[in-house]
Amino acid sequence: MDLENNKDNVTACYIDQTAVIRVEGRGSFKISPPVKQFIHQVMDTHSAERILVDMSDCSGMDSTFMGVIAGLSCLIKKNPACSFKLINLSRKNQKLFSTLGVDRVVDYSLSTSGEEQELMDQECSGSQNLEPDFADKLAAAKTTLEAHQTLVDINPENFDKFKSVLDFLQDDVRSLSQG
């Protein structure tokens, strides 16, 4: 995969009954809103029976991305018609997950099963870039706030780590809502 200037990028496509999302560069606050939007679309339209997130080209993750992934995982677990899993997670990213307790709620593996690898080797039909909407500052702030609230919900020890971030984001959402 071309990591053109190490730019954060996320693509999505369908292979059979599987939605495949590929994260390139960092899993960050920039790509979190379109990932969340795409997965909600998959859930709302029942367009896939499972969602695989390929993390093989993911160089790192920020707390917003991890919070969004944790929140989506918890949401999908309430819907037995669909499964959600991160594959090819690096040891470095696995450590990030465990630091915040995300590993407790997200299904993941450091590699792929034979069946998953066969699927990943297939050509994606209708692959699309999931582009962030930088103009929608309120939606981005809400996504970031919700992600950090999720991190505290899944691991109360995270509250001290993110208290000032939560305060800032709540103020930001309030001021953007009034503007």
Side-chain angles (χ1 to χ4, degrees), residues 104-170:
R104 300 176 199 168
V105 297
V106 174
D107 292 330
Y108 68 90
S109 65
L110 302 180
S111 60
T112 54
S113 68
E115 185 267 338
E116 289 167 345
Q117 190 57 53
E118 283 179 30
L119 192 70
M120 300 310 289
D121 290 342
Q122 291 182 40
E123 194 61 38
C124 269
S125 62
S127 186
Q128 59 180 311
N129 270 347
L130 301 182
E131 297 288 340
D133 179 4
F134 294 113
D136 195 345
K137 290 181 176 22
L138 178 58
K142 283 181 176 179
T143 296
T144 305
L145 175 60
E146 185 180 289
H148 287 83
Q149 286 171 330
T150 298
L151 291 173
V152 171
D153 290 345
I154 63 168
N155 184 0
E157 293 172 18
N158 288 333
F159 181 76
D160 290 338
K161 294 176 190 168
F162 296 120
K163 183 181 180 342
S164 61
V165 173
L166 288 165
D167 290 344
F168 171 80
L169 289 168
Q170 287 165 341

Side-chain angles (χ1 to χ4, degrees), residues 6-48:
N6 203 23
K7 185 181 171 208
D8 301 344
N9 187 43
V10 63
T11 57
C13 66
Y14 291 93
I15 303 172
D16 298 328
Q17 291 297 308
T18 303
V20 176
I21 299 168
R22 289 189 167 94
V23 178
E24 301 169 11
R26 284 181 43 80
S28 70
F29 69 95
K30 289 187 270 185
I31 66 168
S32 293
V35 167
K36 180 180 174 185
Q37 186 177 21
F38 177 79
I39 291 175
H40 276 283
Q41 178 187 334
V42 169
M43 300 295 295
D44 293 345
T45 60
H46 307 287
S47 56

